[in-house]
Amino acid sequence: MSEPPAAPTTTTTTTSTTTAAAHEMRVDPARAQALASQLAAVKDRLAALAGGRNVRLVAVSKLKPANDILALHQDPARHAHFGENYAQELSQKADLLPRSIQWHFIGGLQSGHCKTLAKIPNLFCVSSVDTLKKARLLSSARAALLAADPSLPKLSVHVQVNTSGEDAKSGCAPGPDTVALCREILEHCGPGLHLLGLMTIGAIARSRATTADAAENEDFVALREQRDLVARELGLAPDRLELSMGMSEDYEGAIAMGSGEVRVGSTIFGQRPAKADAKIKD
C-alpha cells in the first residue's frame, strides 16, 4: 500500500492551504521545539522497528490545543496525520487549521456524527466503523461532497474489530460479522468510501504486557487473523488491507506484528488535560 503524498510545507504565513485562523494563531517556539523533538524520537524508533516498511504515524491530538497541532504541521516537523476522538473537537480544529492536515477520526463513532465528519474535506480516515448503517451514512455524505468537488478523495475507513471481547469496547465481533461488514463496504459503499483495512483497540492489560514483557499481544494476533480471513473470503491479497493497531504503550509490539499504522498521543504531546479543562486554541 502506498502512503498518500506528504503534506505541503505549511507555515503561519498565508498560503492556499492555511486558514486565516491558523495565520493568526500563536505558536510558542519553546513548546514547538519540545513537540518536534518528541515526535522525532517516536519517528526514529518507528523507523528502526519497521525495517523499511511504510508505517503511518497518527499523532493523537485529542484534548490538545490547535496551536500544538500547527507547531507539528509547520516547519521543521511537517507532520501531516493527526487523530481525534471527539467529532465536535475534530470539526472545530479542522475549521481552524490548514487543509493540508490529514485528519483521522479514531473515537467511538455515532450515527449522528457521520454526516458531519464525512463532509470535512481533509478527513483522511474514519477508523472506527462497526456497523453497515454508519458505513452507509458516511458513504452517502462523502459521495455528496465528491459530487460538489470531484478533486477530493474518497473517505478511507477501517472496520473496527472487538478482538478482546470486552463489553465496553466498540467493534464487530471477529469472524462472519467482520467479513460481512467489509463485504458490504466494498460492494455497496464504493461511491464515497475506500476500505483501508481493519483496526482494533485491544485490552489494556495485554498492551501493558506487550511492553513490559515483550509478549505477543493476543489482540494483535487476532486482528492479523481477521485480516487474513477477510482477504481470503473476499478474494483480496492480504496486503490490500492494512492493520491499524498499537498506541503509545504498545506500538512497538504492533509494528512487530505487521501494523501499517500506529496511533501515538501522550508520548508526543504529553499528559492530556481533563476534558472539561481542554481548550481548542491557546
Side-chain angles (χ1 to χ4, degrees), residues 145-216:
L145 184 65
L146 296 178
D149 186 353
S151 69
L152 293 173
K154 291 183 180 182
L155 177 60
S156 291
V157 295
H158 291 124
V159 166
Q160 183 173 355
V161 185
N162 186 354
T163 55
S164 63
E166 297 170 282
D167 291 340
K169 290 269 172 55
S170 300
C172 294
D177 289 352
T178 296
V179 173
L181 180 53
C182 290
R183 188 190 304 276
E184 289 290 338
I185 291 172
L186 284 172
E187 293 182 354
H188 300 295
C189 297
L193 303 185
H194 168 66
L195 178 61
L196 188 57
L198 306 181
M199 184 275 275
T200 192
I201 301 173
I204 187 64
R206 293 173 183 172
S207 295
R208 289 171 177 160
T210 301
T211 302
D213 305 325
E216 192 173 69

Side-chain angles (χ1 to χ4, degrees), residues 26 57 83 94 103 116 143 154 187 192 230 244 261-262 267:
R26 181 184 64 86
L57 171 61
W103 292 106
T116 300
K154 291 183 180 182
E187 293 182 354
V230 170
S244 175
E261 174 184 275
V262 293
T267 303

Side-chain angles (χ1 to χ4, degrees), residues 101-116:
I101 287 174
Q102 300 288 289
W103 292 106
H104 296 243
F105 183 74
I106 60 176
L109 181 63
Q110 299 179 26
S111 297
H113 291 149
C114 289
K115 182 176 180 179
T116 300

Side-chain angles (χ1 to χ4, degrees), residues 19-249:
T19 65
H23 176 56
E24 297 170 359
M25 202 175 298
R26 181 184 64 86
V27 175
D28 178 74
R31 173 65 173 165
Q33 183 177 16
L35 288 171
S37 176
Q38 286 149 203
L39 176 69
V42 173
K43 285 186 172 181
D44 287 346
R45 182 59 178 151
L46 188 156
L49 293 164
R53 285 196 304 114
N54 186 16
V55 178
R56 186 185 308 109
L57 171 61
V58 178
V60 180
S61 47
K62 72 173 183 179
L63 303 180
K64 290 295 182 175
N67 311 63
D68 279 2
I69 300 167
L70 185 61
L72 288 180
H73 186 57
Q74 64 186 18
D75 286 335
R78 295 187 64 205
H79 192 70
H81 293 271
F82 293 88
E84 294 286 338
N85 285 59
Y86 307 113
Q88 184 177 9
E89 183 178 357
L90 193 160
S91 296
Q92 291 175 317
K93 289 177 177 176
D95 284 342
L96 286 172
L97 290 163
R99 280 275 296 271
S100 46
I101 287 174
Q102 300 288 289
W103 292 106
H104 296 243
F105 183 74
I106 60 176
L109 181 63
Q110 299 179 26
S111 297
H113 291 149
C114 289
K115 182 176 180 179
T116 300
L117 286 170
K119 296 264 178 141
I120 297 172
N122 53 325
L123 180 63
F124 175 82
C125 185
V126 174
S127 286
S128 46
V129 175
D130 56 1
T131 69
L132 179 57
K133 176 183 178 181
K134 295 172 189 176
R136 285 177 169 168
L137 287 169
L138 288 170
S139 181
S140 176
R142 191 66 172 194
L145 184 65
L146 296 178
D149 186 353
S151 69
L152 293 173
K154 291 183 180 182
L155 177 60
S156 291
V157 295
H158 291 124
V159 166
Q160 183 173 355
V161 185
N162 186 354
T163 55
S164 63
E166 297 170 282
D167 291 340
K169 290 269 172 55
S170 300
C172 294
D177 289 352
T178 296
V179 173
L181 180 53
C182 290
R183 188 190 304 276
E184 289 290 338
I185 291 172
L186 284 172
E187 293 182 354
H188 300 295
C189 297
L193 303 185
H194 168 66
L195 178 61
L196 188 57
L198 306 181
M199 184 275 275
T200 192
I201 301 173
I204 187 64
R206 293 173 183 172
S207 295
R208 289 171 177 160
T210 301
T211 302
D213 305 325
E216 192 173 69
N217 189 306
E218 295 174 49
D219 291 302
F220 299 164
V221 173
L223 192 69
R224 190 168 63 180
E225 290 174 347
Q226 287 303 299
R227 188 272 311 276
D228 292 347
L229 173 65
V230 170
R232 186 167 60 249
E233 292 292 321
L234 302 186
L236 304 172
D239 64 1
R240 159 65 179 80
L241 300 170
E242 79 172 13
L243 301 172
S244 175
M245 54 193 190
M247 298 179 286
S248 286
E249 290 190 321

